[in-house]
Amino acid sequence: MAAPPRLLFVLLLLTAFGCRGEVTHLDEAAKMAYGVKPAVVRVNAFATAQFLYTPATIQAIADSLKRDGFEVAVQKRGAGEDLSVPTGAGGSGSGFIIHPDGLILTSGHVVAPTQNDDALDRELLRNGAISALLKHFPVDDLRKLHRSDALDRYIATLAENGRLEKRVVTNEIELSNGEKLPFTIEHFSPDLAQRGTDLALLRVNHKNLPVLTLGDSDSTRVGESIWSIGYPAVASSTDDVIGGWLSRDSDLESTFNPGIITAIKRNIANTPVFQSNVAIYRGNSGGPVVNRAGEVVGISTWGRSDAESIKFLVPINVARGFLNEAHVPVNVEGDFDHHYRASLDAAQDGKWTVASAELASANNLFPNSPDLIRFRHDTDRALQSMPLWRKHPLATAGAGGVLAALALGLTIPRVRRPRIAADMLKVTTERVVSPSSAPPGTPLMLGKFTILNGPRAGERLGLGGSGIRVGRETAMCEIVLENPKVSRLHAEVVSIDGKVLLIDRNSSNGTYVNDQKIDKRFLKDGDIIYFGGRNAVAVAFHA
């Protein structure tokens, strides 16, 4: 039977106003990556020069090789005036911003090459001598010399007889949006082999930069998931092997690598060191290592090329002591962070209109970041898929009221409300949780939790007995909440004199009842509880 004309009209109006219930949400993994990457920087500390030498020195080396029994042919001898090749020393690493007014933390060995002029010149001369030998002798012959351990002698001879010209030292930070700024060293500690902490505090002249939150490395455990972020040289357009097909713009994209903590050790100075299997390559040194919440728990320091699964990290609490010596406050949020975090939080809640407005404010303070640009594309796609009434709730409220009245007037004469059986009204998503130590039998019900947000929204949990533990760790908790802001053992529900007491178990991000942070609180019917903060897991308590 065809639909009645009036009902068809109502359906068309409802469709026009976009009555679609589902709204996309920014998932936690994407939120974490978007949140941390803008604050990661590339640290350049290197020098370039021209290495000058004479044809006579090359001929003397060729004669010496012949006397030592090496038949090596000289190429491109040159004659008369000085010859030259470009040379360089030092390199690049990674770092991360820890204060919005331009303070950056990195590894000490990343910036060490340019801090000693004599050592820098020795490296420039040596590298220049190597380049000159490659220019004048076949590379296969040089490889044979290298295998016989004779090559170093000839490199030293050429370096001693050469000189440097047009020496230029570069100490600069490349922000994630492409800006390049000179840096100065505010505080320094040598590498681990010299009984230091291998840390350096740098300063650039910039305000309202994105910053990373420093976590608590003392709570980090073996087996915990981590991610390293940085700028490995093998993933840049300057790399000799793959750089030819990477664009210069791609150099702004930091690399995001997963791994786990495999051991917690101590160095020769009895300072804690994390061992991990996370990928750390040349250029990653000094970059942050974060946990699921996006908090920095370590700093990439070094690894061995012949032991890919063994890398070492400086725990962030060691860096906290280093920063305390320099009188640097940590976890200070600037205007950019305020708007950017608000944008990410809104996107996670599906409030894309708010996310778009906050993102625009953040972009004004830190323009051209590739992660903000990508997040803008996500925001635009989400807004395009949203129904009209969600994008413009105030503008459509009046029209919606008229539409509802029209729909009601048109459909009431023809619709009869069916009777609903009583058993259909029962909740089917409720289950009872009891402490693992509870005796057999039906436990005493203390009340119920209703989960209010996330993928489990609407699920009801009956509190069966005293001593119910709440947290992220399945092995120790009866109520498991899989959210990175929830601690392994976050809180506990107990019964005292017939009342229900909620106790925070020293959680990292706190337990809140009706927006107030608590250590312990007797619960009342209708209380709203936040495990890990307002943007983590919210539940309602019913007595």
Side-chain angles (χ1 to χ4, degrees):
M1 180 183 296
R6 284 184 295 180
L7 181 57
L8 182 60
F9 174 67
V10 171
L11 292 174
L12 290 172
L13 283 176
L14 290 172
T15 302
F17 272 86
C19 292
R20 290 174 285 174
E22 291 298 322
V23 174
T24 58
H25 297 258
L26 182 68
D27 67 69
E28 290 182 359
K31 180 186 176 185
M32 190 266 279
Y34 277 139
V36 301
K37 288 178 68 176
V40 181
V41 303
R42 180 185 279 112
V43 182
N44 295 317
F46 63 88
T48 58
Q50 287 295 116
F51 176 72
L52 277 64
Y53 59 100
T54 64
T57 304
I58 295 298
Q59 185 59 52
I61 289 175
D63 295 340
S64 179
L65 285 167
K66 189 173 183 179
R67 287 194 303 269
D68 291 341
F70 297 103
E71 293 295 332
V72 179
V74 182
Q75 306 174 138
K76 304 176 183 177
R77 290 175 182 270
E81 300 179 357
D82 285 345
L83 304 174
S84 71
V85 291
T87 183
S92 69
S94 302
F96 57 101
I97 304 165
I98 52 115
H99 194 282
D101 290 343
L103 290 178
I104 294 161
L105 195 59
T106 185
S107 291
H109 72 266
V110 169
V111 298
T114 58
Q115 303 312 301
N116 185 314
D117 284 343
D118 290 339
L120 185 62
D121 284 347
R122 285 195 297 271
E123 190 70 14
L124 286 168
L125 288 167
R126 175 179 170 80
N127 291 341
I130 292 171
S131 296
L133 289 174
L134 287 169
K135 178 179 179 180
H136 294 286
F137 298 96
V139 65
D140 289 339
D141 291 337
L142 294 177
R143 287 197 181 106
K144 292 175 185 177
L145 289 171
H146 179 66
R147 286 194 292 268
S148 68
D149 295 326
L151 183 60
D152 278 347
R153 183 168 72 252
Y154 300 107
I155 293 174
T157 298
L158 185 52
E160 289 171 3
N161 289 277
R163 59 189 177 88
L164 298 174
E165 190 178 75
K166 299 178 182 178
R167 178 179 179 271
V168 177
V169 177
T170 298
N171 288 314
E172 70 177 11
I173 295 296
E174 286 186 70
L175 301 177
S176 62
N177 67 350
E179 291 184 69
K180 295 183 179 181
L181 302 166
F183 70 77
T184 56
I185 298 178
E186 296 281 304
H187 196 40
F188 180 84
S189 179
D191 62 30
L192 305 180
Q194 301 178 56
R195 296 182 178 271
T197 54
D198 193 21
L199 293 169
L201 177 66
L202 314 180
R203 181 183 291 277
V204 296
N205 185 21
H206 205 301
K207 302 291 184 182
N208 274 319
L209 290 172
V211 301
L212 288 185
T213 300
L214 305 190
D216 179 11
S217 56
D218 287 347
S219 64
T220 302
R221 298 290 180 264
V222 173
E224 183 168 330
S225 294
I226 54 172
W227 289 261
S228 72
I229 308 103
Y231 290 95
V234 293
S236 77
S237 62
T238 60
D239 178 66
D240 293 336
V241 179
I242 65 173
W245 52 269
L246 287 175
S247 71
R248 178 65 182 88
D249 290 344
S250 69
D251 289 350
L252 301 178
E253 282 282 349
S254 57
T255 301
F256 206 78
N257 294 319
I260 62 171
I261 299 293
T262 55
I264 299 176
K265 299 187 176 182
R266 289 186 174 272
N267 66 12
I268 56 177
N270 203 35
T271 301
V273 177
F274 288 152
Q275 181 180 312
S276 173
N277 63 356
V278 72
I280 299 175
Y281 304 104
R282 182 171 58 88
N284 270 107
S285 291
V289 174
V290 301
N291 59 17
R292 289 184 183 275
E295 299 168 338
V296 183
V297 295
I299 302 170
S300 301
T301 179
W302 67 275
R304 291 181 62 91
S305 58
D306 56 352
E308 283 298 321
S309 62
I310 300 178
K311 310 295 181 182
F312 291 95
L313 321 170
V314 175
I316 199 61
N317 284 5
V318 174
R320 281 177 178 268
F322 173 82
L323 294 173
N324 187 54
E325 293 173 1
H327 307 292
V328 175
V330 299
N331 295 344
V332 176
E333 187 176 88
D335 289 342
F336 170 86
D337 298 294
H338 173 75
H339 291 294
Y340 192 48
R341 294 184 198 282
S343 179
L344 293 170
D345 288 342
Q348 187 177 32
D349 292 338
K351 300 175 182 177
W352 292 100
T353 303
V354 176
S356 179
E358 293 287 356
L359 181 58
S361 298
N363 190 68
N364 288 336
L365 295 168
F366 192 65
N368 303 320
S369 168
D371 295 289
L372 268 68
I373 292 171
R374 187 170 291 111
F375 183 39
R376 165 58 65 191
H377 293 160
D378 290 349
T379 303
D380 290 343
R381 283 194 296 270
L383 286 171
Q384 290 171 5
S385 68
M386 285 176 65
L388 182 64
W389 65 272
R390 283 190 182 272
K391 281 192 280 190
H392 307 288
L394 294 178
T396 56
V402 173
L403 177 61
L406 178 61
L408 188 64
L410 290 173
T411 57
I412 281 178
R414 295 185 178 271
V415 176
R416 295 192 313 174
R417 178 171 300 180
R419 292 183 59 83
I420 302 176
D423 59 285
M424 292 292 290
L425 299 176
K426 294 180 180 178
V427 176
T428 58
T429 59
E430 183 175 320
R431 63 186 179 89
V432 176
V433 293
S434 304
S436 56
S437 58
T442 303
L444 175 66
M445 291 292 291
L446 304 182
K448 297 175 182 177
F449 280 164
T450 301
I451 299 178
L452 301 177
N453 60 354
R456 294 169 62 186
E459 181 177 344
R460 295 189 182 182
L461 306 171
L463 308 177
S466 181
I468 296 173
R469 292 162 294 189
V470 182
R472 202 175 72 239
E473 180 57 59
T474 306
M476 69 173 69
C477 299
E478 287 76 33
I479 296 179
V480 179
L481 303 175
E482 296 177 347
N483 186 294
K485 292 188 177 181
V486 175
S487 297
R488 288 184 175 84
L489 175 58
H490 195 102
E492 188 173 1
V493 179
V494 300
S495 176
I496 297 181
D497 297 329
K499 297 180 181 180
V500 181
L501 181 67
L502 177 66
I503 305 171
D504 182 87
R505 292 301 187 191
N506 297 317
S507 64
S508 297
N509 296 304
T511 302
Y512 297 77
V513 177
N514 301 328
D515 287 331
Q516 291 186 350
K517 190 175 184 180
I518 61 106
D519 292 321
K520 59 180 69 174
R521 174 74 64 87
F522 284 107
L523 296 179
K524 297 181 295 185
D525 185 62
D527 280 345
I528 305 299
I529 306 162
Y530 300 95
F531 295 107
R534 289 188 61 86
N535 296 314
V537 179
V539 304
F541 172 74
H542 302 287

